[in-house]
């Protein structure tokens, strides 16, 4: 209280809080605390009168504020130097961030240009192969045509010789119908042969034109391949320069990389404390259940004891009534005795000795029997009823105190559960807000427009509410996820998946056939998003896929090939090593055996 100014209501509470220097002093003083008193130490310990203890490792708001206040008191002398260093570090960070952004942009452009060059080179190689096949087919057709042409020429020579011989025979022979028919037939054959020769000649000229066209296309493809090889060499040179600059930047940013490790340690510590808190919550819940069961047993026992005490009180009342009745009867007899005999009961023996008449035995027996009946009617008298009632009242008071302690413990446990639920709701709300914000951005990016958002439904309590996804792709109205098409649902699910992943990224992410339902344009957006997330978070993606476009965007491919029937071989392909293709060489990494699984690529 002497260190803090507070309103009167709070000052009364502060007056019950003591301050010690260290934990040892607090442990010694904690045993003598009275109800409502608390002891705190400068290093973050706290002891409450009911046995509750807070350690410096418990990350409560009060402990955090105390640690921050102690840290501020320890660092007040170095604020100016720290601020200067922070400003210098901030300027260096801004310069490094700007330079890194420019280098990343240049590297991305170079990689895109290199990938485009590889794609164009593959297309050119495929086109060149097709042209070579076409040229080989044309050459084969030309060869067949030349053979046919030579055969036709030989047939023409043979026909000419036969015509000459026939003409000589016609001149030597006389004119007749048989010779005319033979001549007409041979003329018809000659006309057919000439038509075949003309058709084959036209086919030969067409094949020659196609061969010339194929040769021109082959030369154009060769020139284009040479140009792409030159562009690949330039891109490789630029990539090497960018790599040197990146090495220099990484050396400058080495100090800035310590912060993620510290954050990771803090996160691990917080996760451990969260698990400890969860364990304590479960233990408290179990203790609450056990306490409630004990309370139920105690209440039943209390009811039975109250019933027994009521019966004892009734017996005591009856006994007191009997005693009072006997006393009244004795007084009545005393009065009657005085009225009749003029003496008290203590004088009766003397009167009996002096009397001349002896009392009748029958009357005495009747009187005795009457007295016995009256005594029997009175019943037994419990002389320890009052002592037993006091003992029973003590037990009842003890049970009532135990009940009050149990109620206090239940209230405390319920307060702890309520606090845990409140913190869980706050964390859930914060996480939901971050995921919803990132989900909206990623949805617009994957759909190239549109609008989407997440909403908690069915309950106002976030811990009991359900989650619904509302999406409106470009050109469509707002609707729930189940009403979208298969590709739209896939893109929306990917946007939500990456939104959650960006909120709490990990070093490795595995995607199994995530883009199977997407078309080519959406696959390109998916690959761009994976590359950006990998670059921003440093995550390495393992993508299992059968899509060609996805494979073309990866850095390394792993798969299975069957060189022989029934014999499989695991291979890996380093696409980055494809730069060696510009020299016409095959990189060693292209056919390097690997022990990975089939159809897995690491981006």
């Amino acid at each position: 209280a002497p260190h803090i100014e507070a309103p009167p209501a709070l000052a009364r509470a502060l007056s019950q809080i003591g301050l010690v220097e260290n934990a040892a002093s607090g442990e010694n003083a904690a045993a003598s605390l009275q109800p409502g008193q608390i002891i705190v130490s400068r290093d973050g310990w706290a002891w409450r009168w009911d046995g509750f203890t807070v350690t410096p490792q418990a990350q409560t708001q009060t402990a955090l504020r105390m640690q921050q206040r102690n840290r501020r008191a320890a660092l007040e002398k170095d604020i100016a130097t720290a601020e200067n260093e922070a400003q210098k570090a901030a300027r260096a960070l801004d310069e490094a961030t700007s330079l890194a952004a420019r280098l990343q942009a240049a590297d991305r452009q170079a990689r895109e240009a290199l990938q485009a060059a590889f794609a164009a080179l593959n297309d050119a190689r495929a086109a060149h192969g097709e042209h070579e096949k076409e040229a080989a087919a044309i050459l084969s057709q030309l060869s067949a045509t030349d053979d046919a042409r030579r055969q036709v020429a030989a047939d023409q020579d043979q026909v000419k010789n036969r015509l000459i011989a026939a003409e000589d025979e016609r001149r030597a022979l006389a004119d007749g119908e048989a010779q005319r028919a033979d001549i007409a037939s041979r003329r018809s054959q000659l006309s057919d042969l000439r038509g075949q020769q003309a058709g084959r000649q036209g086919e030969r000229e067409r094949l020659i034109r196609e061969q010339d066209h194929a040769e021109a296309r082959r030369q154009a493809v060769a020139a284009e391949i040479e140009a792409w090889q030159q562009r690949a060499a330039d891109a490789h040179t630029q990539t090497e320069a960018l790599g040197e600059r990146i090495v220099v930047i990484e050396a400058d940013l080495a100090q800035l990389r310590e912060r993620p490790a510290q954050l990771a340690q803090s996160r691990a510590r917080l996760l451990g404390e969260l698990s400890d808190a969860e364990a304590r919550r479960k233990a408290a819940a179990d203790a609450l259940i056990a306490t409630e069961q004990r309370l139920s047993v105690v209440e039943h026992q209390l009811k039975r004891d109250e019933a027994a005490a009521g019966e004892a009180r009734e017996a005591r009342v009856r006994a007191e009534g009997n005693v009072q009745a006997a006393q009244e009867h004795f007084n009545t007899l005393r009065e009657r005795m005085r009225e009749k005999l003029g003496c008290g009961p203590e004088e009766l023996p003397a009167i009996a000795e002096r009397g001349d008449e002896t009392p009748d035995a029958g009357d005495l027996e009747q009187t005795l029997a009457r007295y016995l009946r009256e005594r029997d009617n009175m019943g037994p008298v419990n002389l320890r009823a009052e002592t037993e009632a006091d003992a029973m009242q003590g037990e009842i008071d003890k049970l009532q105190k135990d009940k009050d302690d149990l109620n206090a413990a239940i209230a405390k446990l319920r307060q702890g559960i309520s606090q845990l639920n409140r913190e869980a709701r706050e964390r859930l709300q914060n996480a939901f807000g971050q995921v919803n914000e990132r989900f909206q951005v990623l949805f617009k990016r994957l759909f190239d427009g549109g609008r989407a958002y997440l909403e908690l439904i069915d309950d106002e309590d976030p811990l009991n509410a359900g989650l619904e996804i509302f999406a409106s792709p470009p050109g469509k109205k707002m609707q729930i996820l189940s009403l979208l098409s298969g590709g739209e649902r896939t893109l929306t699910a990917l946007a939500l998946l990456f939104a959650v992943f960006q909120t709490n990224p990990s070093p490795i992410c595995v995607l199994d056939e995530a883009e199977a339902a997407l078309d080519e344009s959406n696959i390109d957006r998916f690959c761009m998003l994976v590359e950006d997330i990998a670059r921003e978070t440093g995550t390495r993606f393992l993508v299992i896929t059968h899509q060609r476009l996805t494979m073309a965007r990866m850095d390394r491919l792993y798969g299975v090939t069957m060189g022989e029937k029934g014999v499989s071989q695991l291979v890996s392909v380093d696409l980055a090593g494809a730069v060696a293709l510009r020299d016409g060489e095959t990189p060693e990494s292209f056919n390097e055996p690997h022990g990975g699984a089939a159809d897995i690529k690491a981006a």
Side-chain angles (χ1 to χ4, degrees), residues 131-159:
H131 294 161
E132 288 181 348
K133 292 180 182 179
E134 293 178 357
I138 292 172
L139 291 175
S140 177
Q141 292 180 1
L142 286 175
S143 178
T145 304
D146 290 339
D147 294 339
R149 183 177 57 79
R150 285 193 296 270
Q151 184 65 35
V152 170
D155 293 341
Q156 287 179 352
D157 294 338
Q158 184 178 1
V159 170

Side-chain angles (χ1 to χ4, degrees), residues 210 504 532:
E210 291 181 355
N504 188 12
D532 292 342

Side-chain angles (χ1 to χ4, degrees), residues 243-449:
E244 294 176 357
R245 295 179 65 183
I246 288 173
V247 170
V248 175
I249 291 173
E250 288 180 351
D252 295 336
L253 295 178
Q255 296 179 352
L256 298 177
R257 292 177 179 172
E258 297 178 356
R259 184 58 179 171
Q262 296 176 359
L263 294 177
Q265 294 177 358
S266 300
R267 178 175 176 270
R269 186 176 66 255
L270 291 175
L271 290 176
E273 293 174 358
L274 179 60
S275 62
D276 295 340
E278 183 66 20
R280 291 196 299 271
R281 186 190 67 79
K282 292 182 180 179
D286 297 338
L288 176 61
I289 294 174
T291 303
E292 289 179 349
Q293 293 176 354
R294 290 178 56 193
L295 177 62
S296 177
V297 173
V298 170
E299 288 179 348
H300 289 301
Q301 184 64 33
L302 178 62
K303 290 181 180 179
R304 290 193 295 270
D305 294 341
E306 289 178 350
E311 293 177 357
R313 284 194 295 270
E314 292 177 357
R316 179 182 178 182
V317 170
R318 287 196 300 271
E320 291 177 352
N322 293 332
V323 170
Q324 185 176 2
Q327 186 66 32
E328 292 178 353
H329 183 67
F330 182 74
N331 295 332
T332 303
L333 290 178
R334 182 187 294 274
E335 293 175 357
R336 290 177 62 188
M337 189 177 298
R338 289 187 178 281
E339 290 177 357
K340 293 181 179 180
L341 301 177
C343 65
E346 61 278 359
E347 299 176 357
L348 285 178
I351 296 175
E353 291 178 355
R354 291 194 303 266
D356 297 334
E357 295 181 359
T358 303
D360 186 8
D363 295 337
L364 293 175
E365 290 179 356
Q366 291 180 359
T367 303
L368 179 60
R370 180 170 57 82
Y371 290 157
L372 292 175
R373 285 196 303 271
E374 291 179 356
R375 187 190 65 181
D376 293 337
N377 291 332
M378 290 175 60
V381 178
N382 187 7
L383 301 178
R384 293 180 53 84
E386 186 175 359
T387 303
E388 293 177 356
D390 294 337
M392 189 64 66
Q393 186 65 36
E395 292 291 334
I396 293 173
D397 294 339
K398 182 179 179 182
L399 293 176
Q400 185 65 34
K401 183 179 179 181
D402 294 339
K403 178 181 177 182
D404 295 337
D405 294 339
L406 291 176
N407 289 332
I410 292 172
K412 189 186 300 181
L413 291 175
R414 289 177 177 172
Q415 182 179 2
I417 294 172
S418 176
Q419 183 177 0
L420 290 175
N421 291 334
R422 183 170 61 256
E423 293 179 358
R425 291 187 185 93
E426 293 176 357
R427 294 189 179 184
L428 179 60
Q429 289 286 4
N430 295 332
F432 177 78
Q434 295 177 5
V435 172
N436 190 17
E437 181 179 357
R438 294 180 182 273
F439 170 69
Q440 295 177 10
V441 175
L442 293 178
F443 182 87
K444 293 181 180 178
R445 180 173 179 180
L446 288 176
F447 281 89
D448 197 13

Side-chain angles (χ1 to χ4, degrees), residues 39 41 44-48 51-60 62-63:
I39 293 179
S41 65
W45 287 83
W47 298 268
R48 204 163 61 188
F52 178 75
T53 303
V54 178
T55 64
Q57 290 75 20
Q59 295 298 324
T60 61
T62 305

